[in-house]
Amino acid sequence: MKLLQRGALLAFSISLCLAADVTTAVHGTVTKVDAGAKTIVVKTKDGTEHTLHFVAKTTVSGTDVAAKDTFKGVKEGSEVVAHYTTKGTEKTAVEVDNVGKDGLKATEGTISDIDRGAKTIAVKTADGTVQTFKMADHATEDAGKDIAKGSEKTAKVTVYYTEEAGKKVAHWFEGK
């Protein structure tokens, strides 16, 4: 009996740990930066505010990290996509991407192919060209959440990306 209880407790603990590692993304404007508390507040289009904590492993893309009046390159008024995990009520930023005019580049189009195994997404733009992007790990997760199976090849999206070593790397995309 004790062995069964220990097994159940272990399975429950593992499921809690796995659930804690789920990454969620939020797109909005930074309304507050508190460098002392290592937090930012991101307000979405619908008015919801998300307070996110920074840790040593939090990465920031598309910003000037050394700029004054910023915290790790993030400042009030910046348009960002923040990828975070949740433990209890605390949201911890894994990555924050600046998607404003000086941040990540963006391409709009229709998905022509998603290869989750190869972690690539191909997008056909309005002019008929097809651009292929390597997906960052969290972008691969987003592909599963944001694009419904069966409709993925007709979904209209905006892909936010960087160029690294001559390759386009999709950090995040959102459906239209």
Side-chain angles (χ1 to χ4, degrees), residues 18-26 81-86 94 111 114 116 121 135-149 151-152 155 157 171-175:
L18 292 175
D21 292 333
V22 173
T23 303
T24 304
V26 62
V81 173
H83 308 270
Y84 64 90
T85 59
T86 304
V94 176
I111 295 174
I114 293 179
R116 287 176 178 80
I121 182 171
M135 289 190 284
D137 288 339
H138 53 267
T140 304
E141 292 172 20
D142 291 344
K145 289 186 251 179
D146 294 342
I147 307 299
K149 290 249 185 231
S151 68
E152 61 191 19
V157 295
H171 289 264
W172 185 69
F173 57 92
E174 65 182 339

Side-chain angles (χ1 to χ4, degrees), residues 3-143:
L3 184 59
L4 184 58
Q5 289 174 332
R6 287 183 185 159
L9 182 59
L10 178 62
F12 179 72
S13 297
I14 290 171
S15 69
L16 283 178
C17 289
L18 292 175
D21 292 333
V22 173
T23 303
T24 304
V26 62
H27 182 194
T29 303
V30 176
T31 59
K32 183 177 180 185
V33 176
D34 186 336
K38 296 183 179 178
T39 61
I40 62 169
V41 176
V42 178
K43 187 174 183 178
T44 62
K45 287 181 185 177
D46 69 4
T48 305
E49 291 189 333
H50 300 265
T51 301
L52 307 171
H53 296 266
F54 275 75
V55 293
K57 295 189 288 186
T58 302
T59 60
V60 179
S61 300
T63 64
D64 180 1
V65 178
K68 294 180 182 179
D69 78 333
T70 69
F71 176 64
K72 288 195 165 193
V74 178
K75 62 183 177 180
E76 291 180 16
S78 296
E79 180 186 358
V80 299
V81 173
H83 308 270
Y84 64 90
T85 59
T86 304
K87 289 186 182 175
T89 60
E90 186 169 302
K91 297 174 183 177
T92 302
V94 176
E95 179 176 335
V96 178
D97 300 320
N98 179 12
V99 295
K101 63 180 178 145
D102 297 324
L104 300 182
K105 297 176 183 178
T107 294
E108 293 184 359
T110 304
I111 295 174
S112 60
D113 188 43
I114 293 179
D115 185 337
R116 287 176 178 80
K119 296 183 180 180
T120 60
I121 182 171
V123 176
K124 186 175 184 178
T125 60
D127 67 5
T129 60
V130 175
Q131 295 184 31
T132 302
F133 302 86
K134 181 80 175 158
M135 289 190 284
D137 288 339
H138 53 267
T140 304
E141 292 172 20
D142 291 344

